[in-house]
Amino acid sequence: MFQTLIPITFLFFPIGILFSAPLFGFDLERWSYFVTFFYSFYPVVDPISAIFFIDEYRTAFLNFFRRTLNRNQVTPVKSIDIVPELP
């Protein structure tokens, strides 16, 4: 349902209102920049539904931010120095 509401909200309603307003005698020339905003904002908002509703994408997205926020982790490192014997 969310994947259907995004195009309806950001594409179909604003453009439909802009194109049908002259038929009903409404002057929306000053408000047409809202349609431009919604139309250009659609590619930003559309992948959000895929990121949060597909499990693999959601876990990868959240793990990226978990790693970024938890940078202060201590990992054990074992070091072995080999010193060659001199003759």
Side-chain angles (χ1 to χ4, degrees):
M1 180 160 159
F2 191 67
Q3 291 173 332
T4 305
L5 289 177
I6 290 174
I8 288 173
T9 304
F10 288 99
L11 290 178
F12 301 132
F13 281 153
I15 293 174
I17 291 170
L18 183 71
F19 286 162
S20 62
L23 297 173
F24 298 110
F26 296 120
D27 182 24
L28 296 180
E29 185 176 347
R30 292 182 298 161
W31 299 97
S32 64
Y33 63 89
F34 282 122
V35 175
T36 305
F37 172 76
F38 281 118
Y39 185 74
S40 62
F41 199 63
Y42 171 72
V44 175
V45 177
D46 190 42
I48 292 174
S49 64
I51 289 173
F52 284 109
F53 288 112
I54 298 174
D55 291 335
E56 290 85 11
Y57 292 156
R58 182 177 57 236
T59 55
F61 181 76
L62 294 175
N63 284 338
F64 174 76
F65 286 106
R66 286 181 192 140
R67 281 190 218 125
T68 311
L69 295 174
N70 296 329
R71 286 189 182 250
N72 297 331
Q73 295 180 353
V74 178
T75 56
V77 176
K78 186 175 181 181
S79 176
I80 300 175
D81 292 331
I82 301 175
V83 179
E85 292 183 25
L86 296 173

XYZ file of all heavy atoms in Angstrom:
740
model
N 0.820 -1.177 0.000
C 0.000 0.000 0.000
C 0.878 1.261 0.000
O 0.555 2.233 -0.677
C -0.901 -0.007 1.223
C -1.782 1.178 1.287
S -3.162 0.878 2.360
C -3.603 2.530 2.708
N 1.958 1.230 0.769
C 2.861 2.384 0.820
C 3.508 2.617 -0.533
O 3.726 3.763 -0.927
C 3.912 2.137 1.905
C 4.724 3.342 2.244
C 4.146 4.436 2.852
C 6.068 3.382 1.959
C 4.890 5.552 3.168
C 6.826 4.493 2.273
C 6.228 5.573 2.885
N 3.791 1.534 -1.258
C 4.396 1.665 -2.577
C 3.421 2.254 -3.589
O 3.834 2.768 -4.621
C 4.899 0.307 -3.060
C 6.076 -0.181 -2.253
C 6.460 -1.604 -2.612
O 5.620 -2.382 -3.046
N 7.717 -1.933 -2.430
N 2.144 2.180 -3.315
C 1.144 2.795 -4.181
C 0.893 4.253 -3.805
O 0.664 5.095 -4.677
C -0.176 2.014 -4.082
O 0.079 0.647 -4.385
C -1.205 2.552 -5.037
N 0.954 4.560 -2.522
C 0.675 5.920 -2.069
C 1.762 6.915 -2.470
O 1.470 8.095 -2.667
C 0.504 5.941 -0.547
C -0.761 5.290 -0.019
C -0.773 5.313 1.498
C -1.981 5.994 -0.557
N 2.986 6.466 -2.571
C 4.074 7.387 -2.923
C 3.882 7.971 -4.322
O 3.904 9.194 -4.485
C 5.445 6.710 -2.755
C 5.729 6.490 -1.278
C 6.547 7.544 -3.374
C 6.984 5.710 -1.008
N 3.679 7.159 -5.381
C 3.461 7.783 -6.694
C 2.172 8.591 -6.781
O 2.134 9.632 -7.447
C 3.414 6.606 -7.666
C 3.930 5.447 -6.941
C 3.807 5.723 -5.493
N 1.137 8.133 -6.090
C -0.122 8.881 -6.120
C 0.070 10.246 -5.489
O -0.382 11.269 -6.021
C -1.242 8.089 -5.408
C -1.653 6.894 -6.263
C -2.441 8.972 -5.105
C -2.631 5.968 -5.586
N 0.775 10.296 -4.354
C 0.962 11.552 -3.640
C 1.908 12.500 -4.358
O 1.663 13.702 -4.429
C 1.509 11.271 -2.227
O 0.620 10.378 -1.564
C 1.634 12.540 -1.429
N 2.995 11.954 -4.899
C 4.031 12.825 -5.448
C 3.935 13.037 -6.956
O 4.591 13.940 -7.477
C 5.415 12.280 -5.103
C 5.755 12.442 -3.659
C 5.607 11.398 -2.775
C 6.208 13.652 -3.186
C 5.911 11.550 -1.443
C 6.523 13.820 -1.857
C 6.367 12.762 -0.976
N 3.162 12.223 -7.659
C 3.063 12.395 -9.108
C 1.639 12.658 -9.586
O 1.363 13.687 -10.190
C 3.606 11.160 -9.824
C 5.104 10.924 -9.761
C 5.458 9.638 -10.489
C 5.853 12.070 -10.368
N 0.739 11.714 -9.327
C -0.570 11.755 -9.960
C -1.458 12.885 -9.457
O -2.074 13.593 -10.254
C -1.275 10.415 -9.807
C -0.509 9.268 -10.400
C -0.314 8.101 -9.690
C 0.038 9.358 -11.670
C 0.392 7.055 -10.226
C 0.753 8.311 -12.219
C 0.928 7.157 -11.494
N -1.556 13.064 -8.139
C -2.401 14.141 -7.621
C -1.896 15.527 -8.012
O -2.675 16.339 -8.533
C -2.565 14.046 -6.108
C -3.573 13.030 -5.661
C -3.454 12.432 -4.432
C -4.650 12.678 -6.458
C -4.374 11.491 -4.008
C -5.577 11.744 -6.050
C -5.434 11.150 -4.817
N -0.624 15.858 -7.779
C -0.197 17.222 -8.135
C -0.301 17.526 -9.626
O -0.776 18.600 -10.014
C 1.264 17.283 -7.672
C 1.399 16.216 -6.664
C 0.439 15.156 -7.057
N 0.114 16.588 -10.459
C 0.060 16.838 -11.896
C -1.386 16.822 -12.389
O -1.770 17.623 -13.246
C 0.936 15.830 -12.653
C 2.400 16.097 -12.292
C 0.732 15.918 -14.151
C 3.371 15.107 -12.854
N -2.205 15.940 -11.834
C -3.619 15.909 -12.204
C -4.335 17.195 -11.833
O -5.152 17.715 -12.602
N -4.028 17.725 -10.660
C -4.636 18.995 -10.245
C -4.149 20.135 -11.130
O -4.926 20.998 -11.548
C -4.333 19.268 -8.760
C -5.094 18.273 -7.878
C -4.694 20.693 -8.378
C -4.690 18.307 -6.420
N -2.848 20.129 -11.453
C -2.303 21.197 -12.291
C -2.903 21.178 -13.691
O -3.217 22.224 -14.254
C -0.778 21.072 -12.367
C -0.063 22.165 -13.146
C -0.112 23.470 -12.363
C 1.358 21.760 -13.428
N -3.088 19.994 -14.257
C -3.638 19.901 -15.611
C -5.152 20.107 -15.659
O -5.680 20.572 -16.667
C -3.289 18.556 -16.242
C -1.857 18.450 -16.663
C -1.295 17.224 -16.907
C -1.059 19.568 -16.829
C 0.036 17.098 -17.302
C 0.261 19.477 -17.221
C 0.808 18.226 -17.453
N -5.856 19.737 -14.602
C -7.313 19.879 -14.630
C -7.798 21.227 -14.087
O -8.976 21.567 -14.276
C -7.964 18.746 -13.843
O -7.573 18.798 -12.489
N -6.962 21.992 -13.425
C -7.379 23.287 -12.871
C -7.854 24.262 -13.941
O -8.873 24.939 -13.730
C -6.248 23.891 -12.048
N -7.196 24.383 -15.095
C -7.719 25.314 -16.104
C -9.092 24.912 -16.641
O -9.873 25.761 -17.061
C -6.679 25.261 -17.221
C -5.435 24.789 -16.577
C -5.873 23.888 -15.473
N -9.398 23.616 -16.607
C -10.723 23.182 -17.070
C -11.839 23.705 -16.176
O -12.970 23.908 -16.629
C -10.783 21.659 -17.141
C -9.823 20.989 -18.122
C -9.872 19.481 -17.956
C -10.173 21.380 -19.535
N -11.531 23.876 -14.890
C -12.532 24.351 -13.936
C -12.398 25.838 -13.634
O -13.099 26.367 -12.764
C -12.429 23.544 -12.634
C -12.708 22.081 -12.834
C -11.692 21.152 -12.723
C -13.981 21.641 -13.154
C -11.938 19.807 -12.905
C -14.243 20.297 -13.341
C -13.218 19.377 -13.221
N -11.475 26.510 -14.316
C -11.338 27.950 -14.164
C -10.460 28.396 -13.013
O -10.525 29.551 -12.605
N -9.646 27.511 -12.466
C -8.742 27.885 -11.375
C -7.410 28.342 -11.949
O -6.872 27.733 -12.871
C -8.499 26.707 -10.424
C -9.725 26.253 -9.707
C -10.188 24.962 -9.868
C -10.417 27.111 -8.866
C -11.310 24.525 -9.206
C -11.539 26.677 -8.201
C -12.000 25.392 -8.373
N -6.863 29.385 -11.354
C -5.560 29.890 -11.772
C -4.512 29.395 -10.767
O -4.459 29.875 -9.635
C -5.564 31.412 -11.822
C -4.236 31.964 -12.305
O -3.504 31.238 -13.002
O -3.938 33.125 -11.961
N -3.721 28.428 -11.174
C -2.700 27.863 -10.289
C -1.293 28.204 -10.751
O -0.343 27.489 -10.434
C -2.841 26.338 -10.220
C -4.126 25.807 -9.620
C -4.126 24.293 -9.630
C -4.289 26.304 -8.192
N -1.154 29.300 -11.467
C 0.161 29.651 -11.989
C 1.158 29.926 -10.859
O 2.311 29.509 -10.931
C 0.047 30.879 -12.881
C 1.346 31.239 -13.571
C 1.162 32.404 -14.519
O 0.002 32.769 -14.819
O 2.178 32.950 -14.933
N 0.716 30.584 -9.801
C 1.620 30.872 -8.686
C 1.956 29.622 -7.885
O 2.987 29.567 -7.231
C 0.990 31.906 -7.762
C 0.863 33.277 -8.405
C 0.294 34.253 -7.435
N -1.061 33.820 -7.057
C -1.704 34.237 -5.985
N -1.142 35.086 -5.172
N -2.913 33.812 -5.723
N 1.089 28.629 -7.900
C 1.288 27.428 -7.092
C 1.920 26.284 -7.883
O 2.078 25.186 -7.366
C -0.043 26.981 -6.515
C -0.636 28.016 -5.625
C -1.573 28.941 -5.968
C -0.297 28.274 -4.274
N -1.858 29.751 -4.904
C -1.086 29.364 -3.851
C 0.579 27.690 -3.367
C -1.001 29.870 -2.552
C 0.648 28.211 -2.085
C -0.130 29.281 -1.693
N 2.300 26.529 -9.106
C 2.844 25.445 -9.927
C 4.215 24.974 -9.452
O 4.637 23.872 -9.778
C 2.913 25.863 -11.388
O 3.813 26.941 -11.540
N 4.913 25.786 -8.673
C 6.215 25.343 -8.173
C 6.078 24.199 -7.172
O 7.012 23.438 -6.972
C 7.015 26.502 -7.567
C 6.410 27.162 -6.361
C 6.693 26.690 -5.094
C 5.579 28.259 -6.487
C 6.147 27.286 -3.984
C 5.036 28.869 -5.390
C 5.323 28.375 -4.130
O 4.780 28.978 -3.030
N 4.908 24.051 -6.537
C 4.687 22.892 -5.680
C 4.692 21.601 -6.494
O 5.219 20.582 -6.047
C 3.356 23.006 -4.919
C 3.424 23.927 -3.749
C 2.576 25.018 -3.670
C 4.322 23.710 -2.725
C 2.623 25.867 -2.597
C 4.388 24.553 -1.643
C 3.537 25.644 -1.576
N 4.116 21.641 -7.669
C 4.116 20.465 -8.539
C 5.541 20.129 -8.948
O 5.937 18.960 -8.954
C 3.225 20.704 -9.774
C 3.324 19.547 -10.746
C 1.795 20.906 -9.343
N 6.331 21.133 -9.246
C 7.728 20.901 -9.593
C 8.476 20.298 -8.420
O 9.289 19.384 -8.592
C 8.395 22.218 -10.011
O 7.635 22.805 -11.058
C 9.807 21.986 -10.480
N 8.212 20.777 -7.216
C 8.852 20.222 -6.030
C 8.464 18.769 -5.822
O 9.321 17.913 -5.604
C 8.488 21.050 -4.795
C 8.945 20.423 -3.519
C 10.270 20.463 -3.151
C 8.042 19.775 -2.688
C 10.696 19.867 -1.973
C 8.451 19.178 -1.515
C 9.786 19.233 -1.154
N 7.157 18.472 -5.879
C 6.707 17.094 -5.673
C 7.233 16.172 -6.763
O 7.629 15.040 -6.494
C 5.179 17.012 -5.618
C 4.612 17.436 -4.300
C 3.761 18.521 -4.224
C 4.923 16.758 -3.152
C 3.232 18.920 -3.011
C 4.402 17.147 -1.935
C 3.563 18.227 -1.861
N 7.232 16.646 -7.987
C 7.717 15.838 -9.107
C 9.213 15.552 -8.972
O 9.672 14.448 -9.247
C 7.422 16.558 -10.428
C 7.771 15.753 -11.641
C 6.978 14.687 -12.024
C 8.894 16.055 -12.400
C 7.299 13.936 -13.141
C 9.217 15.323 -13.516
C 8.412 14.259 -13.881
O 8.734 13.520 -14.976
N 9.989 16.516 -8.531
C 11.422 16.291 -8.379
C 11.757 15.572 -7.078
O 12.824 14.969 -6.964
C 12.174 17.619 -8.443
O 11.776 18.442 -7.381
N 10.896 15.613 -6.098
C 11.122 14.922 -4.832
C 10.748 13.444 -4.903
O 11.176 12.659 -4.061
C 10.322 15.616 -3.725
C 10.787 15.310 -2.338
C 12.058 15.675 -1.925
C 9.958 14.676 -1.446
C 12.484 15.398 -0.648
C 10.376 14.392 -0.163
C 11.642 14.764 0.236
N 9.981 13.053 -5.895
C 9.543 11.660 -6.041
C 10.704 10.665 -6.148
O 10.678 9.639 -5.458
C 8.606 11.529 -7.242
C 8.288 10.110 -7.599
C 7.449 9.346 -6.804
C 8.842 9.519 -8.727
C 7.160 8.037 -7.121
C 8.562 8.216 -9.053
C 7.720 7.481 -8.249
O 7.447 6.180 -8.560
N 11.751 10.893 -6.955
C 12.844 9.911 -7.003
C 13.597 9.753 -5.686
O 14.236 8.736 -5.460
C 13.784 10.462 -8.083
C 12.959 11.358 -8.895
C 11.925 11.921 -7.973
N 13.507 10.741 -4.815
C 14.154 10.635 -3.510
C 13.322 9.764 -2.571
O 13.856 8.960 -1.806
C 14.348 12.039 -2.902
C 14.902 11.965 -1.501
C 15.237 12.878 -3.788
N 12.024 9.897 -2.631
C 11.136 9.221 -1.692
C 10.796 7.797 -2.142
O 10.580 6.914 -1.302
C 9.847 10.050 -1.506
C 8.860 9.360 -0.598
C 10.189 11.412 -0.955
N 10.777 7.546 -3.415
C 10.346 6.249 -3.928
C 11.191 5.072 -3.432
O 10.628 4.046 -3.050
C 10.309 6.284 -5.457
C 9.645 5.058 -6.035
O 8.604 4.636 -5.488
O 10.169 4.526 -7.031
N 12.516 5.133 -3.381
C 13.279 3.977 -2.890
C 13.123 3.699 -1.404
O 13.471 2.617 -0.943
C 14.734 4.330 -3.199
C 14.688 5.410 -4.181
C 13.410 6.132 -3.965
N 12.590 4.648 -0.652
C 12.436 4.437 0.789
C 11.506 3.261 1.070
O 11.746 2.473 1.984
C 11.939 5.725 1.468
C 13.036 6.784 1.405
C 11.529 5.479 2.911
C 12.621 8.134 1.914
N 10.460 3.110 0.277
C 9.553 1.984 0.494
C 10.259 0.662 0.243
O 10.060 -0.302 0.986
C 8.322 2.113 -0.393
O 8.686 2.049 -1.754
N 11.095 0.593 -0.772
C 11.831 -0.642 -1.034
C 12.851 -0.912 0.059
O 13.026 -2.061 0.490
C 12.525 -0.561 -2.394
N 13.508 0.119 0.542
C 14.520 -0.078 1.579
C 13.897 -0.590 2.867
O 14.453 -1.472 3.526
C 15.287 1.241 1.830
C 16.197 1.542 0.646
C 16.108 1.169 3.110
C 16.868 2.892 0.709
N 12.750 -0.092 3.245
C 12.182 -0.492 4.521
C 11.263 -1.700 4.457
O 10.998 -2.313 5.487
C 11.445 0.687 5.159
C 12.382 1.679 5.758
C 12.561 2.915 5.185
C 13.117 1.362 6.885
C 13.436 3.827 5.720
C 13.999 2.263 7.439
C 14.161 3.495 6.854
N 10.794 -2.101 3.282
C 9.892 -3.240 3.207
C 10.542 -4.513 2.693
O 9.978 -5.591 2.844
C 8.657 -2.904 2.363
C 7.731 -1.962 3.060
C 7.551 -0.673 2.598
C 7.047 -2.350 4.192
C 6.706 0.200 3.241
C 6.198 -1.483 4.847
C 6.028 -0.201 4.376
N 11.710 -4.447 2.112
C 12.435 -5.648 1.693
C 13.487 -5.936 2.761
O 14.317 -5.086 3.078
C 13.082 -5.442 0.304
C 11.986 -5.187 -0.730
C 13.920 -6.649 -0.076
C 12.490 -4.833 -2.100
N 13.422 -7.159 3.320
C 14.235 -7.498 4.482
C 15.729 -7.323 4.255
O 16.429 -6.774 5.103
C 13.973 -8.945 4.906
C 12.591 -9.131 5.482
O 12.027 -8.150 5.990
O 12.078 -10.268 5.415
N 16.242 -7.798 3.126
C 17.677 -7.724 2.883
C 18.150 -6.267 2.785
O 19.207 -5.915 3.308
C 18.052 -8.474 1.600
C 17.911 -9.974 1.712
C 16.505 -10.454 1.444
O 15.673 -9.637 0.971
O 16.225 -11.624 1.707
N 17.379 -5.443 2.116
C 17.749 -4.038 2.000
C 17.677 -3.336 3.360
O 18.517 -2.510 3.700
C 16.847 -3.308 1.020
C 17.010 -3.720 -0.415
C 15.997 -3.544 -1.320
C 18.194 -4.285 -0.877
C 16.138 -3.909 -2.647
C 18.349 -4.654 -2.190
C 17.319 -4.460 -3.065
O 17.466 -4.823 -4.374
N 16.629 -3.654 4.134
C 16.459 -3.024 5.434
C 17.608 -3.376 6.375
O 18.183 -2.503 7.030
C 15.126 -3.428 6.061
C 14.863 -2.768 7.401
C 13.501 -3.131 7.963
N 13.331 -4.561 8.093
C 12.334 -5.249 7.543
N 11.424 -4.627 6.837
N 12.240 -6.545 7.714
N 17.987 -4.665 6.427
C 19.082 -5.043 7.317
C 20.406 -4.436 6.863
O 21.206 -4.009 7.693
C 19.206 -6.567 7.415
O 19.343 -7.121 6.110
C 18.011 -7.172 8.117
N 20.648 -4.387 5.556
C 21.889 -3.769 5.069
C 21.907 -2.285 5.382
O 22.939 -1.748 5.798
C 22.030 -4.000 3.574
N 20.788 -1.618 5.213
C 20.696 -0.183 5.503
C 20.919 0.092 6.984
O 21.688 0.981 7.358
C 19.325 0.327 5.053
C 19.104 1.787 5.268
C 19.694 2.715 4.430
C 18.290 2.234 6.297
C 19.486 4.074 4.622
C 18.079 3.578 6.490
C 18.678 4.505 5.654
N 20.262 -0.680 7.836
C 20.401 -0.464 9.278
C 21.778 -0.872 9.776
O 22.327 -0.228 10.682
C 19.304 -1.219 10.022
C 17.887 -0.707 9.770
C 16.862 -1.588 10.462
C 17.739 0.736 10.196
N 22.367 -1.933 9.220
C 23.712 -2.327 9.630
C 24.742 -1.278 9.244
O 25.731 -1.097 9.947
C 24.094 -3.673 9.017
C 23.412 -4.815 9.718
O 22.991 -4.689 10.865
N 23.289 -5.937 9.034
N 24.542 -0.611 8.137
C 25.456 0.462 7.743
C 25.489 1.550 8.809
O 26.555 2.021 9.207
C 25.027 1.058 6.402
C 25.821 2.256 5.998
C 27.106 2.123 5.501
C 25.282 3.529 6.131
C 27.842 3.232 5.136
C 26.013 4.638 5.761
C 27.294 4.485 5.270
N 24.322 1.951 9.312
C 24.284 2.994 10.324
C 24.698 2.484 11.689
O 25.229 3.229 12.499
C 22.896 3.643 10.378
C 22.644 4.533 9.210
C 21.790 4.152 8.203
C 23.301 5.741 9.106
C 21.576 4.972 7.123
C 23.101 6.574 8.030
C 22.232 6.185 7.035
N 24.463 1.220 11.969
C 24.946 0.669 13.239
C 26.463 0.654 13.280
O 27.069 0.935 14.300
C 24.403 -0.742 13.432
C 22.950 -0.764 13.794
C 22.453 -2.170 13.996
N 21.009 -2.171 14.060
C 20.240 -3.074 13.514
N 20.765 -4.090 12.849
N 18.935 -2.994 13.616
N 27.090 0.306 12.170
C 28.554 0.318 12.118
C 29.099 1.729 12.217
O 30.139 1.961 12.808
C 29.039 -0.319 10.819
C 29.004 -1.804 10.866
C 29.712 -2.384 9.660
N 28.955 -3.555 9.258
C 28.464 -3.770 8.064
N 28.668 -2.902 7.106
N 27.783 -4.844 7.797
N 28.416 2.664 11.618
C 28.875 4.047 11.647
C 28.759 4.628 13.055
O 29.639 5.358 13.505
C 28.049 4.909 10.679
O 27.985 4.262 9.418
C 28.670 6.265 10.492
N 27.694 4.284 13.760
C 27.488 4.825 15.098
C 28.347 4.127 16.148
O 28.670 4.710 17.168
C 26.008 4.735 15.485
C 25.057 5.587 14.642
C 23.619 5.304 15.028
C 25.373 7.053 14.804
N 28.689 2.875 15.927
C 29.464 2.107 16.898
C 30.912 1.963 16.447
O 31.450 0.876 16.378
C 28.849 0.720 17.094
C 27.467 0.805 17.688
O 27.169 1.715 18.438
N 26.622 -0.152 17.358
N 31.561 3.044 16.183
C 32.952 2.987 15.717
C 33.939 2.661 16.829
O 35.038 2.226 16.569
C 33.343 4.303 15.070
C 32.727 4.493 13.728
C 33.325 5.703 13.070
N 32.684 5.916 11.796
C 33.277 5.734 10.632
N 34.514 5.360 10.591
N 32.626 5.940 9.521
N 33.596 2.862 18.065
C 34.512 2.638 19.168
C 34.465 1.190 19.631
O 34.084 0.886 20.748
C 34.187 3.576 20.329
C 34.363 5.015 19.952
O 35.175 5.326 19.099
N 33.610 5.892 20.589
N 34.840 0.304 18.780
C 34.873 -1.109 19.120
C 36.321 -1.539 19.255
O 37.194 -1.097 18.514
C 34.180 -1.942 18.051
C 32.709 -1.651 17.938
C 32.071 -2.502 16.853
O 32.751 -3.195 16.121
N 30.762 -2.436 16.760
N 36.567 -2.428 20.204
C 37.903 -2.941 20.421
C 37.958 -4.348 19.846
O 37.144 -5.192 20.180
C 38.244 -2.964 21.926
C 39.623 -3.550 22.155
C 38.134 -1.580 22.501
N 38.920 -4.567 18.992
C 39.105 -5.903 18.427
C 40.476 -6.409 18.846
O 41.471 -5.677 18.801
C 39.022 -5.882 16.895
O 39.977 -4.961 16.390
C 37.640 -5.479 16.436
N 40.562 -7.649 19.293
C 41.862 -8.184 19.706
C 42.759 -8.435 18.493
O 42.314 -8.918 17.464
C 41.503 -9.492 20.406
C 40.187 -9.870 19.841
C 39.487 -8.585 19.483
N 43.998 -8.072 18.653
C 44.974 -8.279 17.592
C 46.150 -9.018 18.190
O 46.695 -8.620 19.223
C 45.444 -6.930 16.994
C 46.524 -7.163 15.955
C 44.277 -6.176 16.413
N 46.552 -10.091 17.543
C 47.695 -10.870 18.021
C 48.847 -10.627 17.056
O 48.707 -10.796 15.849
C 47.342 -12.353 18.063
C 48.404 -13.196 18.663
C 47.940 -14.623 18.780
C 49.019 -15.450 19.420
N 48.607 -16.851 19.526
N 49.968 -10.245 17.607
C 51.124 -9.934 16.786
C 52.284 -10.833 17.190
O 52.571 -10.990 18.375
C 51.498 -8.461 16.965
O 52.679 -8.188 16.250
N 52.947 -11.419 16.216
C 54.105 -12.273 16.476
C 55.285 -11.654 15.739
O 55.240 -11.460 14.518
C 53.854 -13.717 15.985
C 52.654 -14.301 16.717
C 55.108 -14.549 16.173
C 52.262 -15.666 16.202
N 56.309 -11.340 16.488
C 57.525 -10.797 15.896
C 58.551 -11.927 15.749
O 58.881 -12.613 16.706
C 58.125 -9.687 16.750
C 57.234 -8.456 16.767
O 56.518 -8.253 15.778
O 57.277 -7.725 17.759
N 59.028 -12.092 14.573
C 60.070 -13.080 14.318
C 61.372 -12.330 14.050
O 61.476 -11.553 13.104
C 59.705 -13.992 13.133
C 58.401 -14.718 13.412
C 60.849 -14.953 12.824
C 57.921 -15.540 12.254
N 62.352 -12.564 14.912
C 63.634 -11.895 14.785
C 64.622 -12.919 14.226
O 64.845 -13.964 14.812
C 64.128 -11.358 16.134
C 65.483 -10.676 15.993
C 63.081 -10.428 16.720
N 65.232 -12.638 13.099
C 66.181 -13.610 12.552
C 67.479 -13.601 13.391
O 67.897 -12.580 13.917
C 66.453 -13.086 11.153
C 66.100 -11.659 11.175
C 65.043 -11.508 12.224
N 68.031 -14.779 13.495
C 69.280 -14.905 14.258
C 70.453 -14.495 13.393
O 70.531 -14.856 12.231
C 69.465 -16.345 14.711
C 68.449 -16.755 15.744
C 68.699 -18.180 16.220
O 69.834 -18.652 16.131
O 67.723 -18.764 16.665
N 71.349 -13.732 13.995
C 72.516 -13.293 13.260
C 73.669 -14.293 13.449
O 73.879 -14.800 14.552
C 72.948 -11.912 13.736
C 71.949 -10.793 13.493
C 72.425 -9.539 14.163
C 71.762 -10.561 12.010
N 74.470 -14.566 12.438
C 75.580 -15.537 12.599
C 76.769 -14.978 13.327
O 77.039 -13.917 13.598
C 75.962 -15.896 11.164
C 75.334 -14.887 10.285
C 74.283 -14.187 11.076
